[in-house]
Amino acid sequence: MSIIKMALLGTTLGTLALPALAETRIGVTMTSFDNPHLTVLLNAIRDEASRHEGVTLVLEDAQLDVARQLNQVQNFAANGLDAIIVNAVDGDSTAALTAQARSAGIPLIYVNHPPAELDAGMPEGTAYVGSAERDAGRFEAEAVCELLDGTGRAVILMGPLENRAALVRTATVEEIFAGEDCQIEVVQKQTANWNRVQAQDLVSSWLTAGIEFDAIVSNNDEMAIGAIQALKAAGRSMEDVVIAGIDATADGLAAMAAGDLDVTVFQNTVEQGHVAVRAALDGAGGQSVQPEYWVPFEPVTAGNLAQYAN
């Protein structure tokens, strides 16, 4: 089928592309369909695509498998799709994905999980849509430090060790905890792979081992909620431990409203999804795409919870 490319407006955050003039097919491969945070992202991608006439999404679940994701991108290229959106399983393994899309001349938009190429500069025809992970870690750590009056012991629940966002968030938290104004000792840090159940099991094992801590600092809300469940199962008072997460998910905000979660950081995942689709449409229409599109993180505490809970 011959696909007529469409004329589009620019690629700034606030700009909406013009409706498609004919069928435009966008391949989307997600790290996992089972992750609640990524479900928000996927729904935002669907929502934005539905606003543009003639846009068809081809959706794939990589199921946390790097090889599977590469195969999905290869299939998108072989089938002549007009643009590709990738929520990368492993940011350090994106070179093959980028090479595949570029060799096929297909615009490639990474979203939410930063690719390795971001450090050196995104290649022509590719872009990254996301939020600055250092800001997430900084907002989280500074809030925890304030709640602990600058001293104490903390454990860190990390995302997957191959995930750039998890690494940057953790490193930033550690950096701030080691600063002059915040002397917080990190007594344990382990991965729970963004997963609530794994985090609950890990925190339970720390409690059983007698590890003492004043704060649990999590790379995301799901693991923070798992930590809360572990503390409650062990009969620990929630007032004795500061719990921090990132993403301001619906469950995270509900936990904060209940007084269980003390800190989270709002990641505007919906806007990321919308911008990714608009950038993909611009690329499919022959327009240039910006190398980077940044959607700011915003700190959330009990004091400003109301503006995020709606």
Side-chain angles (χ1 to χ4, degrees):
M1 179 189 305
S2 174
I3 299 176
I4 303 172
K5 303 299 183 181
M6 50 186 174
L8 302 166
L9 292 175
T11 58
T12 59
L13 279 180
T15 301
L16 285 174
L18 290 172
L21 300 178
E23 182 187 13
T24 301
R25 296 179 299 161
I26 301 174
V28 180
T29 168
M30 301 291 297
T31 294
S32 170
F33 284 175
D34 293 333
N35 182 299
H37 173 65
L38 297 182
T39 298
V40 173
L41 176 64
L42 179 57
N43 287 340
I45 289 171
R46 286 171 165 150
D47 174 63
E48 182 64 27
S50 71
R51 301 178 188 181
H52 303 272
E53 184 180 353
V55 173
T56 298
L57 297 179
V58 181
L59 304 175
E60 294 286 355
D61 182 357
Q63 299 177 20
L64 302 173
D65 188 324
V66 172
R68 182 188 296 270
Q69 189 161 66
L70 175 58
N71 181 256
Q72 290 165 351
V73 170
Q74 290 171 334
N75 287 338
F76 291 157
N79 289 319
L81 270 62
D82 299 288
I84 298 171
I85 295 174
V86 172
N87 172 242
V89 171
D90 180 359
D92 289 334
S93 301
T94 53
L97 306 179
T98 299
Q100 185 66 44
R102 294 194 73 200
S103 65
I106 299 174
L108 173 63
I109 312 298
Y110 288 101
V111 61
N112 190 259
H113 291 173
E117 292 84 335
L118 185 62
D119 290 332
M122 299 301 295
E124 184 178 356
T126 69
Y128 173 63
V129 178
S131 302
E133 300 299 343
R134 276 191 59 83
D135 288 345
R138 177 172 61 84
F139 287 143
E140 182 181 39
E142 289 176 346
V144 171
C145 194
E146 181 177 353
L147 289 170
L148 291 180
D149 294 324
T151 62
R153 295 160 58 90
V155 294
I156 299 178
L157 294 170
M158 300 178 63
L161 298 180
E162 69 275 8
N163 186 280
R164 186 177 184 273
L167 297 176
V168 173
R169 291 175 186 182
T170 299
T172 305
V173 167
E174 291 180 303
E175 178 185 322
I176 289 178
F177 281 178
E180 293 183 2
D181 299 327
C182 188
Q183 298 292 312
I184 294 179
E185 179 186 2
V186 176
V187 295
Q188 283 283 345
K189 63 173 183 177
Q190 291 188 42
T191 180
N193 294 306
W194 305 129
N195 186 277
R196 184 182 302 194
V197 174
Q198 289 185 37
Q200 181 175 359
D201 291 343
L202 180 55
V203 173
S204 294
S205 71
W206 286 338
L207 292 170
T208 300
I211 295 172
E212 297 182 2
F213 47 81
D214 305 295
I216 299 175
V217 182
S218 171
N219 283 171
N220 76 339
D221 285 350
E222 275 295 288
M223 294 186 295
I225 292 169
I228 291 167
Q229 292 172 334
L231 290 171
K232 288 184 174 181
R236 290 284 295 269
S237 170
M238 298 308 301
E239 295 181 359
D240 295 338
V241 183
V242 171
I243 309 292
I246 293 173
D247 289 333
T249 63
D251 285 351
L253 294 175
M256 182 172 285
D260 296 332
L261 183 67
D262 300 288
V263 175
T264 188
V265 182
F266 176 62
Q267 180 171 194
N268 196 338
T269 309
V270 171
E271 183 65 8
Q272 289 178 6
H274 291 173
V275 173
V277 172
R278 295 200 294 264
L281 289 175
D282 282 341
Q287 303 293 319
S288 61
V289 295
Q290 297 172 195
E292 302 167 8
Y293 299 79
W294 295 107
V295 180
F297 277 108
E298 302 168 30
V300 183
T301 63
N304 65 355
L305 171 63
Q307 70 186 77
Y308 295 95
N310 295 327

